[in-house]
Amino acid sequence: AYQKEMAQRRAYIDSIDNARQMAIEEAEKEAELQKKIKEEEEKKQKILWASEQKEKERLRKIEYEEEKRLKKLEEEKEEKRLKKLEEERRADIISKYGNDIGNKLINGEYWLKMTSEMAKVSLGEPSQIRKSVGHWGINETWLYPSYLILEFENGILKSYTE
């Protein structure tokens, strides 16, 4: 009877040990499964992140191309506006001074006996004007950054120094 009881106790302890071992194995399997699930989630996150980065880069490229296109359109618009202004300026000059003199002024030419108004049309505003007034009238010396000097007497070009 003692041996039988001992065998039953041993069987009971073995069943507890087996149950414990099965629980440990089950816990290890669960831990391994959780680890795999976590790894898969991390892979998904990395793939999602990489996908998001690719999409962001694609959108940046689209935005860059769109900005480039808009800048080009703005430049073309400004170019057209400036061309129109230049055409209007040319038309105004030729209308006012005639074809021959108008074209000389448009081309930036200057000559003796031209008026100070013509010089401004042809060369633009000088960087400096020196003026002297006397009984003879008004003398002006116009200085340009290109070292061009124009001498006017009563609004008529009398001499120039290049």
Side-chain angles (χ1 to χ4, degrees):
Y2 174 75
Q3 286 185 341
K4 188 176 180 182
E5 189 180 320
M6 288 305 282
Q8 284 176 344
R9 284 185 178 178
R10 174 55 71 205
Y12 177 72
I13 290 172
D14 284 346
S15 72
I16 290 174
D17 284 345
N18 284 341
R20 188 178 295 142
Q21 186 62 36
M22 285 175 63
I24 289 171
E25 288 173 4
E26 198 59 40
E28 287 174 350
K29 285 180 184 177
E30 181 64 25
E32 188 65 30
L33 181 62
Q34 289 300 322
K35 183 180 174 184
K36 286 181 180 180
I37 290 171
K38 186 177 178 183
E39 287 172 357
E40 286 299 316
E41 273 300 312
E42 288 173 355
K43 282 182 186 177
K44 284 180 187 176
Q45 289 299 323
K46 286 179 182 178
I47 291 169
L48 180 61
W49 182 83
S51 176
E52 287 172 350
Q53 295 305 310
K54 285 180 182 177
E55 182 63 12
K56 285 179 183 178
E57 182 62 27
R58 186 183 74 80
L59 291 173
R60 275 193 291 270
K61 285 180 182 177
I62 290 171
E63 184 178 8
Y64 172 75
E65 291 299 321
E66 186 63 18
E67 286 174 2
K68 224 165 81 172
R69 188 181 71 78
L70 286 173
K71 185 177 180 182
K72 185 178 178 182
L73 286 173
E74 288 171 0
E75 287 171 354
E76 288 172 358
K77 183 179 176 182
E78 181 63 11
E79 203 174 289
K80 286 179 184 177
R81 187 186 72 79
L82 292 174
K83 187 176 180 180
K84 182 181 177 190
L85 285 174
E86 182 59 26
E87 288 172 0
E88 289 173 357
R89 177 181 175 269
R90 290 178 67 87
D92 289 346
I93 291 170
I94 289 176
S95 168
K96 184 170 184 175
Y97 296 104
N99 203 35
D100 292 339
I101 292 176
N103 280 318
K104 285 181 180 181
L105 296 175
I106 290 166
N107 292 328
E109 297 178 29
Y110 51 93
W111 58 92
L112 297 177
K113 297 185 182 176
M114 75 184 305
T115 66
S116 57
E117 181 183 333
M118 289 175 169
K120 280 184 186 176
V121 170
S122 181
L123 302 169
E125 290 288 333
S127 58
Q128 187 177 0
I129 298 177
R130 295 182 186 152
K131 192 183 256 189
S132 60
V133 180
H135 67 345
W136 63 86
I138 301 172
N139 282 355
E140 289 183 341
T141 302
W142 291 13
L143 307 171
Y144 284 90
S146 62
Y147 302 106
L148 174 65
I149 301 171
L150 302 181
E151 299 281 344
F152 291 91
E153 287 182 15
N154 297 315
I156 304 296
L157 184 60
K158 295 298 181 182
S159 68
Y160 56 86
T161 306
E162 296 176 318

